[in-house]
């Protein structure tokens, strides 16, 4: 059990005693340690490459057409862990800089873990971490080697804003997003909590926006507020838009 080392550290004999202490709300430091112990920070660059390529290609091209008037795109990398996902997005935009010239691209990355966010903000990865999913050419182009590790260059790091956020809390203060990535987090929640998170994501997703879940995750049977995109397999849209004109064919009048 993930909490056993923590319980030994604090001389807590069993899970019932731990729950009693946390329920008393008198140990915020212990609660934070519990969260850090239980969070799964598994991630890598360009995770699920086929779906990620679909996102950074056809999906974003469709949104580029739909947002051609405002030239503004907001992306939320929810449960971002140690930052590989948002940095992968940043590199994708930098690799297509001419296409996005003049656009206001905002990438917000959030996680509940302060430890993971600290590493993400620093943007420094071990050789093992850097080689997981990141092509060598992009590694050499966007990272500098520092004492055996690899540090993301300033132009990559400045594209991403990191903030702490619990997916079970309201996201209204974050505003609305054209793209939300919430991958491989829902699978760790019970059915009721999955529905709760999806309800909050609904209010955070802009009209014509798209939600990207993990390859093993779905909204089917979880909520009626999202529907599978007919254009892009593995992506989801507001159910109210499910029967409307496909995003790729929409244009906002100038």
């Amino acid at each position: 059990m993930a909490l056993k080392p923590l319980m030994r550290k604090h001389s807590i004999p069993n899970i019932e005693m731990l729950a009693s202490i946390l329920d008393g709300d008198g140990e915020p430091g212990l609660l934070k340690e519990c969260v850090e112990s239980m969070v799964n920070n598994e991630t890598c660059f360009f995770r699920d490459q086929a779906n990620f390529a679909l996102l950074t290609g056809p999906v974003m091209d469709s949104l580029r057409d739909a947002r051609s008037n405002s030239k503004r795109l907001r992306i939320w990398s929810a449960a971002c862990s140690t930052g590989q996902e948002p940095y992968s997005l940043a590199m994708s935009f930098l690799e297509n800089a001419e296409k996005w010239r003049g656009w206001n691209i905002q990438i917000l990355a959030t996680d509940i873990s302060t430890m993971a966010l600290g590493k993400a903000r620093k943007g420094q990865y071990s050789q093992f971490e850097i080689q997981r999913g990141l092509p060598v050419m992009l590694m050499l182009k966007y990272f500098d080697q520092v004492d055996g590790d690899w540090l993301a260059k300033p132009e990559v790091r400045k594209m991403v804003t990191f903030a702490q956020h619990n997916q079970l809390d309201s996201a209204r203060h974050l505003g609305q997003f054209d793209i939300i990535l919430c991958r491989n987090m829902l699978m760790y929640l019970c059915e009721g909590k999955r529905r709760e998170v999806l309800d909050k994501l609904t209010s955070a997703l802009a009209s014509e926006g798209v939600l990207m879940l993990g390859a093993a995750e779905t909204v089917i049977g979880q909520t009626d507020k999202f529907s599978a995109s007919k254009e892009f397999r593995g992506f989801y849209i507001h159910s109210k838009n499910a029967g409307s004109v496909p995003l790729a064919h929409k244009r906002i009048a100038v």
Side-chain angles (χ1 to χ4, degrees):
M1 185 175 69
L3 292 173
K4 281 187 176 180
L6 178 64
M7 291 166 62
R8 285 196 296 268
K9 173 185 174 182
H10 292 277
S11 300
I12 299 173
N14 51 55
I15 193 69
E16 290 78 14
M17 178 63 73
L18 176 62
S20 177
I21 294 172
L22 295 177
D23 190 50
D25 201 30
E27 295 288 344
L30 180 60
L31 177 59
K32 180 179 177 180
E33 286 186 77
C34 287
V35 170
E36 297 291 352
S37 297
M38 296 177 69
V39 169
N40 183 345
N41 289 323
E42 170 64 22
T43 187
C44 64
F45 290 99
F46 298 95
R47 189 173 189 175
D48 299 329
Q49 290 186 11
N51 273 14
F52 203 90
L54 181 59
L55 169 68
T56 56
V59 173
M60 285 190 182
D61 285 345
S62 291
L63 281 165
R64 185 174 179 273
D65 288 342
R67 301 293 189 257
S68 60
N69 187 31
S70 66
K71 291 187 181 297
R72 181 172 180 260
L73 199 65
R74 297 196 76 219
I75 304 173
W76 180 15
S77 170
C80 70
S81 187
T82 47
Q84 285 92 323
E85 177 176 273
Y87 286 140
S88 295
L89 288 168
M91 285 184 281
S92 295
F93 281 110
L94 290 170
E95 283 294 284
N96 294 277
E98 190 59 38
K99 178 192 292 187
W100 296 100
R101 188 176 303 279
W103 280 69
N104 179 4
I105 306 295
Q106 299 176 12
I107 303 173
L108 174 67
T110 66
D111 201 272
I112 193 174
S113 170
T114 55
M115 291 178 60
L117 287 172
K119 182 177 178 65
R121 288 191 180 99
K122 191 173 183 181
Q124 186 166 329
Y125 302 96
S126 68
Q127 183 65 45
F128 173 76
E129 292 169 320
I130 203 74
Q131 68 187 16
R132 294 190 65 201
L134 185 64
V136 174
M137 292 302 296
L138 294 185
M139 178 187 74
L140 296 174
K141 187 174 182 178
Y142 294 113
F143 288 81
D144 293 317
Q145 195 162 21
V146 179
D147 298 328
D149 288 343
W150 292 87
L151 179 66
K153 292 186 176 181
E155 60 263 35
V156 178
R157 283 182 280 128
K158 74 178 182 180
M159 288 193 66
V160 184
T161 299
F162 291 98
Q164 186 178 25
H165 178 70
N166 184 341
Q167 292 299 125
L168 292 172
D169 293 340
S170 171
R172 294 188 182 279
H173 64 291
L174 301 178
Q176 291 199 316
F177 299 87
D178 303 294
I179 300 171
I180 298 177
L181 294 85
C182 185
R183 301 196 290 165
N184 305 302
M185 188 275 286
L186 293 176
M187 66 175 65
Y188 296 105
L189 303 179
C190 66
E191 182 179 346
K193 294 302 181 182
R194 286 198 296 269
R195 185 176 296 109
E196 190 176 335
V197 169
L198 287 168
D199 284 347
K200 289 176 170 58
L201 293 179
T202 302
S203 62
L205 188 66
S207 176
E208 300 178 3
V210 293
L211 168 68
M212 182 180 187
L213 299 179
E217 296 172 322
T218 181
V219 302
I220 298 174
Q222 309 297 324
T223 180
D224 59 1
K225 295 182 179 180
F226 284 110
S227 296
S229 168
K230 295 179 180 178
E231 294 177 273
F232 308 119
R233 184 175 181 180
F235 291 81
Y236 302 89
I237 60 175
H238 284 295
S239 291
K240 61 185 179 182
N241 295 334
S244 61
V245 178
L247 179 61
H249 302 296
K250 290 189 177 184
R251 298 292 185 272
I252 295 177
V254 178

